[in-house]
Amino acid sequence: MMTHGRPTLPHLEISSYSLTLKDRSGFIGDRASSRAFFGILDELREPLCEAGTDPFNNIATEDLTLNDIDAAWDSGDVFAAGVVFSAVEEFAQRLARVVRSYRLSDEHWARVRRIAVGGGLRDSRIGEIAIGRTTAILRFEGIAIDLVPITQDPDEAALVGGLRLVEEDQLCGFSQMLAVDIGGSSIRAGLIEFSPDTPHDITAASVIALDQWKYSDEEAEPSRDDAVERLARMLGELQKQADKNLAPLITLACPGRVLEDGSIREGAQNLPGDWEACDFRLPEALSQHLGNRFDIVMHNDAVVQGLSEADQMHETEVWAVITIGTGLGNAVYLNRPGSS
């Protein structure tokens, strides 16, 4: 039986994850989520729309994409770029405040010197600028910490990162594995190809087939059980594309605090239905839909996304990940001596 949410993984320790801090205004992390960025932009645009000078032609902010905002930044229109810059600056200030709060409230975060930033906002030019600006703000204050964009494609990082949830000897001899990334607006399932000799070498791994279900776009929110059944069908279709070297393993990345038995606590509130029910265990439910043909191991989605960056962090003893998505995920890692 697989143990879920393990603090000790191959080559490293998970010192902290899903750190949630609150003040009188609510959860601190919510102020630096993707929703928060679009909220900032919306507030800036409101008087411009009323004055007839909005650079986005009065399109509702909720209908804008990151590509639209990147295009405004790159358009050559200095006013449009100025509006976007104002949103990026405010967001970076908020993200810097989140990092400061983490460092002041948690002993593990206080030792962090490098943070990989993932999530949907990272997959844009303005996201990269916000990451760099946040580092500058902290450095100007004398805080020696670097924020860097996660190396992997944000849509794939928590899929390939799943390789690091499994011991190498369980993967040796295989060259493919199924992986799942569950988020606050969509579910991704992928077929991963990796080196059968060095399965933990993320640089040699790739997503060769990907299926994504944006359940947030559905007219009616699906139930939890419907979502699990849909995920099982997605994995079944991907399995048909696999070769005979498919490992009998599936990794799951899911929001929330993951307990050893596969139940979820604190942080799954954005998922459809009640995923934190005491009698619900996602790995067990999914395994039943798949005919109990796979061993399934699950961990927090930010933890798994960060694991995709482990190969880039050998020189940093204590490092972290922040994922900017529907919410703000986070985790801290400690490299063990001799880790590679």
Side-chain angles (χ1 to χ4, degrees):
M1 183 176 178
M2 303 294 279
T3 300
H4 309 285
R6 290 190 300 158
T8 300
L9 295 174
H11 311 302
L12 49 76
E13 304 281 341
I14 312 300
S15 303
S16 166
Y17 77 91
S18 282
L19 178 63
T20 54
L21 302 178
K22 293 181 69 174
D23 60 16
R24 294 177 182 177
S25 301
F27 290 105
I28 290 173
D30 287 347
R31 294 168 211 168
S33 65
S34 289
R35 286 177 178 173
F37 175 79
F38 280 93
I40 293 166
L41 182 61
D42 193 57
E43 288 183 16
L44 290 170
R45 292 181 61 210
E46 185 174 349
L48 303 179
C49 290
E50 292 176 357
T53 59
D54 176 54
F56 296 100
N57 299 316
N58 285 24
I59 298 171
T61 303
E62 63 186 19
D63 293 330
L64 293 175
T65 67
L66 290 171
N67 287 336
D68 294 330
I69 301 170
D70 277 351
W73 175 265
D74 294 330
S75 66
D77 181 337
V78 294
F79 174 64
V83 173
V84 173
F85 174 78
S86 298
V88 169
E89 174 64 20
E90 173 60 24
F91 181 83
Q93 293 286 349
R94 293 189 185 188
L95 183 55
R97 285 197 287 273
V98 170
V99 173
R100 282 190 222 102
S101 297
Y102 286 170
R103 287 170 54 83
L104 288 171
S105 64
D106 185 90
E107 61 178 336
H108 305 294
W109 269 96
R111 299 175 59 198
V112 169
R113 292 295 175 265
R114 192 171 176 85
I115 304 172
V117 182
L121 191 65
R122 175 262 174 270
D123 195 22
S124 64
R125 182 58 181 150
I126 57 164
E128 292 178 345
I129 294 168
I131 292 167
R133 176 62 182 135
T134 303
T135 296
I137 292 168
L138 295 169
R139 285 293 188 91
F140 292 153
E141 297 174 355
I143 299 174
I145 196 166
D146 287 325
L147 280 74
V148 295
I150 206 163
T151 306
Q152 295 286 329
D153 183 322
D155 286 343
E156 301 179 355
L159 299 175
V160 296
L163 290 169
R164 290 298 186 104
L165 292 178
V166 184
E167 299 292 340
E168 277 195 301
D169 59 6
Q170 292 179 275
L171 293 170
C172 284
F174 299 102
S175 60
Q176 294 181 350
M177 185 184 73
L178 295 170
V180 175
D181 177 20
I182 300 173
S185 60
S186 69
I187 294 176
R188 300 181 185 91
L191 178 62
I192 314 302
E193 191 162 78
F194 55 90
S195 166
D197 299 319
T198 54
H200 281 174
D201 181 3
I202 300 296
T203 62
S206 62
V207 178
I208 60 173
L210 177 68
D211 191 4
Q212 181 174 10
W213 173 37
K214 295 185 177 182
Y215 62 81
S216 61
D217 291 345
E218 301 286 342
E219 289 187 11
E221 182 180 274
S223 70
R224 181 196 68 199
D225 294 341
D226 286 343
V228 175
E229 183 177 351
R230 173 71 176 265
L231 172 57
R233 293 201 303 270
M234 293 164 65
L235 289 167
E237 290 301 312
L238 288 168
Q239 186 183 357
K240 293 177 183 178
Q241 302 178 52
D243 61 27
K244 62 182 180 180
N245 287 323
L246 179 68
L249 297 159
I250 297 175
T251 60
L252 291 178
C254 185
R257 182 158 291 279
V258 177
L259 304 187
E260 289 185 6
D261 65 355
S263 56
I264 304 168
R265 299 290 180 270
E266 304 171 3
Q269 65 273 4
N270 291 320
L271 302 181
D274 184 7
W275 295 59
E276 298 180 17
C278 293
D279 61 348
F280 177 68
R281 293 167 181 78
L282 175 58
E284 183 178 302
L286 182 59
S287 181
Q288 290 174 359
H289 277 289
L290 295 171
N292 298 310
R293 298 189 302 272
F294 294 89
D295 286 329
I296 300 176
V297 62
M298 181 171 71
H299 216 308
N300 172 266
D301 58 338
V303 167
V304 185
Q305 190 167 156
L307 289 174
S308 72
E309 199 71 3
D311 290 341
Q312 314 298 322
M313 298 292 185
H314 294 323
E315 303 303 319
T316 307
E317 181 184 11
V318 183
W319 55 281
V321 66
I322 286 177
T323 58
I324 305 172
T326 307
L328 194 76
N330 62 82
V332 176
Y333 310 83
L334 171 65
N335 285 330
R336 294 204 299 270
S339 64
S340 60

